[in-house]
Amino acid sequence: MLRKELNLFSFKDLLEFYPFRHIDKTSVDKIAALSNDSEYTQVAGVITDIQMIGEKRTRRLVAHLKDDTGTIELVWFQGISWVEKILVIGQRYLVFGKPGFFMGKPQMAHPELENYTAENADGKSHLEPIYPSTEKLKAKGITGRAIGKFTGELLKKLSENDLPENLPVPVVKRYKLIKRYDAYRHIHLPASELHYQHALRRLKFEEFFFAQLSIQLIKISRQRFSKGSVFEKVGQLFNDFYNHQLPFQLTAAQKKVLKEIRTDTGSGHQMNRLLQGDVGSGKTMVALLSMLIAADNGFQSVLMAPTEILAQQHFNNIKQLLVGLPVTVDILTGSSKPKARKLILKNCEDGSATILIGTHAIIEDKVIFKNLGFAVVDEQHKFGVAQRAKLWKKNTIPPHILVMTATPIPRTLALTAYGDLDYSVIDELPPGRQPITTVHRNEMARPQVMDFIKEQIALGRQAYIIYPLIEESSKLDYENLMKGFEEVKSFFPEPKYWISMVHGKQTAAQKDANMQRFVTADTQILVGTTVIEVGVNVPNASVMVIESAEKFGLSQLHQLRGRVGRGSDKSFCILLTGQKLSRDARERLKIMVSTNDGFKIAEKDLEIRGPGEIEGTKQSGVLNFKLASIVHDKVMLEAARSEVERIISEDADLILEENSPVKEYLQQQKGKSLWSKIA
Ligand code: ADP
Ligand code: MG
């Protein structure tokens, strides 16, 4: 039962099934004092009556509890037969729950009950833990309180030896952490609020520490065991391109990152680097220059993009940049024709393809390389860790890997979730970019917005109009898109205006053709869904209209906005929404209007949504902390990380005496020997 309902399998799980709050057992509220904003409370009184009301699905058990100030109604919809058994008229109970009011009368649904005995009313300072339970468990009498009793029993049986210290003593001292054994006791049954706070602090630190440690250990073992190809020199290809064909000066940040990559790829170790940079910061150029260095050293490279549109765009762009240089650039996607595919596969295998650009089609088993030395994964969040690992296997010595994020993720999050990767950041935009003006408009203002687009088109600019696509297959979303398309057409009649439409139900060829018409300015307006979200680069576009903007997440909005403001013209982002907005949606729109800085937006996003929801980190279990929060305990996270980094750099094998508790704990975790199963 515990197993299925709460995922508790062992004593350890039970110990780590933490209470979500405590109540002071000595504090019993008077019924008359309850109010609408009372949180969980405890009242004590005598049951005056018990009734069964309603039929079938509306059937419920209603009882009244009376103290010397008033009466409260107690209601159960589930687990009725169990409650009936224990509830006796005239008996005293201690009742715990969250009160509500119905027609001005206090009420409590599914409260927890306990006989009111001298023992639990003795006035000793007892903070009682409150655990989550489920209706099913409650129906069997396993309330949160019952779970607390199991845990209490378990804690009584354990001694300090069962929960030995697992952190290095100097760390425990430095951060003034309480003993592990004490922490478990006081997190469940604290002697006082202060004890509880100390317990919480210790256990949070432990969570951060071991999460960081395991990820850092993965990194170190990889660095040790995975040899990397050595890029000895910067050769003629790079220099010719850099000196004669690079269309602009690199920003200082681009140069810095390039240097980091250069150092890594010359070291003999395999590089695994995460490159963060805001939308439009010029990550692609860094990738291209790195691939040229690979080519200078006789290695092939791949650049993997999340969509065909983007792969195609990279291909066109890079091919054009490299024109005249002795480099073969190929493209391979899911829709490559069999004949072309065959040729490309051959080129990859015999080494004549220098740079291969594509979608995930390039990691299929059939694609074999002669000497793959460098792999770029663009817009990382669309790729899973498994796909990254597949890239490694493409060469006997695994290629160096550069993972580029689509929109920034907060530094703390990046270092936590991707702590096994090295970290680079481009923290400046190329010069001359004008900040994008962002406004929020009610959809009533759509005609004015369309007029504004007309003005911009008259100036020679182009515009995007984006509709939400929540689910790839959702019919409703497509209907909305088509309706929107018709509406846009009525504002912008042919032949004065031409419109492209791009969405996920088109074939790759259709998508590409429509996109291409927009790129070449054959059409002035692109209506589409978020398939255009990442990476698309049309510098002449100056307006981004996002329909139903409240339905998009922050990083998506920022990514979409990043499609404009790529040229030297003033650009605009218009967020259209309905009248009714949730608080979160309002907050998101406010942030978008107030800043263009992707790193700031990422921090806010993390605050609003929490780490679990941030794209690209869902699968990476490292963020599933039970107590700690990377948003609220950031300082502690940094402290734990710096301790881990120090330990790893001084003593990666944990040989030092002071690190032996850590080593023993890790070994014990592997064996899980101490913890017998819950029967
Ligand atoms: P992102 O980092 O979002 O992938 P891109 O690599 O697509 O950004 O670059 C955005 C635009 O900025 C491109 O048109 C690119 O050619 C241009 N760009 C990149 N680096 C520089 C630079 N140092 N100076 C001027 N323009 C640059
Ligand atoms: Mg990009």
Side-chain angles (χ1 to χ4, degrees), residues 283-284 314 378-379 535:
K283 296 182 285 286
T284 321
H314 277 316
D378 194 13
E379 322 295 7

Side-chain angles (χ1 to χ4, degrees), residues 589-644:
L589 296 165
K590 211 172 90 194
I591 293 164
M592 284 298 294
V593 170
S594 70
T595 181
N596 273 305
D597 181 338
F599 285 93
K600 266 192 206 149
I601 291 175
E603 291 288 345
K604 289 284 182 194
D605 201 17
L606 181 61
E607 278 169 31
I608 296 178
R609 291 200 293 171
E613 291 303 312
I614 304 291
E615 280 176 286
T617 60
K618 269 185 202 149
Q619 79 274 47
S620 96
V622 289
L623 297 176
N624 297 333
F625 299 113
K626 292 191 168 114
L627 295 168
S629 145
I630 73 166
V631 179
H632 301 114
D633 306 312
K634 225 153 104 177
V635 177
M636 189 188 279
L637 172 61
E638 293 292 346
R641 178 167 46 240
S642 78
E643 287 298 337
V644 166

Side-chain angles (χ1 to χ4, degrees), residues 247-251 254 277-285 313-314 317 321 378-379 404-406 426 430-431 433 535 537 539 559 563 566:
F248 38 69
Q249 286 250 315
L250 292 188
T251 61
Q254 284 171 314
D278 206 346
V279 178
S281 60
K283 296 182 285 286
T284 321
M285 187 48 76
Q313 181 186 280
H314 277 316
N317 177 21
L321 283 164
D378 194 13
E379 322 295 7
M404 307 195 292
T405 55
I426 302 185
R433 294 272 168 85
N537 190 27
Q559 181 56 240
R563 298 311 104 215
R566 309 199 133 227

